[in-house]
Amino acid sequence: MDDELGTQRRLHILDDEEVEALYGRPCFSVEERAEYFTLEPAEVALLRSLRGVSSHVAFLLQLGYFKAKQLFFPVPFDEVAEDVAYLLARYFPQVPQASLPSVNSRTLFNQHHMLLAHFDYRRCGAKERTQLAYRASQVARLNAKPVYVFRELWQYLTEQRIVAPGYTLLQDVVGTALTAEQTRLATILRTNLVPQECAALDTLLGSDSGLHLITQLKHDPKDFSLGEMR
């Protein structure tokens, strides 16, 4: 039996649009800006603990984006100019947009910690990745479709309040789990089947005529007639 998964370096699971829908920086409508950039009392307190309008705006951007997707994104002000203009008009009307200096990476990283604590989330570190791999191995026993395993892992991350790692990392986790499951099943077969049974199984999986014999066995019968049962 060919180890198809093992020969692939990285599984194709989602198309570009699906990846963008999950990982792309939010592009808010007018209504969404009003929703995601509205502050609760605890968030007002966090904002007041920061210094400088640039830091405030960066925090508000990250806060709104995290509410929308539970991920962190770069927030260069020139790339999210419409969101910046909205925040300035709403919270800092006296500050001209052109006067905002950029925010350094250390400030952004510290704000990440603030937001993780505020939303009771945690990053996907080494421990979480080990747990994610174990979860993938469990799901792979139920369904061998990569997209099914991926969606189950995404749901697991949401339930556990873990910031999702990058798409390529999840591709690797899914691929490793499916390859391991395929190896596990193949080992069971080789251990418990005699050579004649292995040969018969290989025949079922062959496709000399362009159609696997096992595919015919998987078709539901049209009725319960003797011919269909045979």
Side-chain angles (χ1 to χ4, degrees):
M1 289 177 286
D2 293 335
D3 186 2
E4 295 180 355
L5 290 174
T7 61
Q8 297 180 2
R9 294 183 62 84
R10 183 165 281 151
L11 290 175
H12 175 78
I13 303 176
L14 305 178
D15 60 33
D16 292 342
E17 290 184 1
E18 291 171 320
V19 173
E20 178 64 21
L22 289 177
Y23 286 97
R25 186 168 54 207
C27 184
F28 290 150
S29 64
V30 174
E31 293 77 14
E32 288 171 334
R33 287 193 185 100
E35 175 185 356
Y36 290 115
F37 291 139
T38 295
L39 303 181
E40 299 177 357
E43 294 162 355
V44 172
L46 289 176
L47 187 66
R48 288 175 176 171
S49 70
L50 303 173
R51 295 182 178 180
V53 176
S54 290
S55 181
H56 289 167
V57 171
F59 177 80
L60 289 169
L61 289 169
Q62 295 191 92
L63 174 68
Y65 297 158
F66 195 90
K67 285 181 179 180
K69 289 199 170 182
Q70 295 76 56
L71 293 170
F72 293 115
F73 301 92
V75 289
F77 296 154
D78 59 331
E79 293 183 12
V80 289
E82 291 185 5
D83 289 337
V84 171
Y86 173 86
L87 292 172
L88 289 177
R90 180 169 181 177
Y91 294 107
F92 311 99
Q94 75 284 2
V95 178
Q97 186 167 349
S99 67
L100 282 182
S102 59
V103 179
N104 62 56
S105 58
R106 181 177 181 84
T107 297
L108 295 176
F109 189 73
N110 290 337
Q111 291 180 3
H112 291 178
H113 280 287
M114 294 172 62
L115 292 170
L116 289 172
H118 174 64
F119 289 107
D120 192 26
Y121 261 75
R122 65 185 190 275
R123 292 186 181 277
C124 191
K127 177 182 177 181
E128 288 75 17
R129 293 182 185 185
T130 299
Q131 295 169 340
L132 195 64
Y134 175 70
R135 176 61 178 165
S137 68
Q138 291 180 310
V139 176
R141 295 191 176 196
L142 302 177
N143 194 311
K145 292 182 178 179
V147 69
Y148 177 86
V149 181
F150 181 92
R151 288 171 178 166
E152 288 295 309
L153 293 184
W154 195 270
Q155 180 63 28
Y156 170 82
L157 290 166
T158 301
E159 293 172 353
Q160 298 297 314
R161 305 184 76 81
I162 299 171
V163 177
Y167 174 59
T168 55
L169 188 146
L170 286 179
Q171 282 180 295
D172 293 340
V173 171
V174 172
T176 298
L178 291 176
T179 300
E181 178 61 13
Q182 188 177 50
T183 301
R184 186 185 74 86
L185 294 176
T187 300
I188 292 174
L189 292 176
R190 293 191 185 99
T191 301
N192 293 279
L193 297 182
V194 299
Q196 294 86 348
E197 293 168 332
C198 289
L201 184 59
D202 286 337
T203 300
L204 285 176
L205 298 175
S207 59
D208 293 338
S209 62
L211 179 66
H212 293 6
L213 291 178
I214 197 172
T215 303
Q216 300 179 35
L217 297 179
K218 291 166 62 179
H219 286 168
D220 292 331
K222 297 178 181 178
D223 50 48
F224 290 98
S225 64
L226 180 59
E228 285 295 321
M229 291 300 100
R230 285 177 175 172

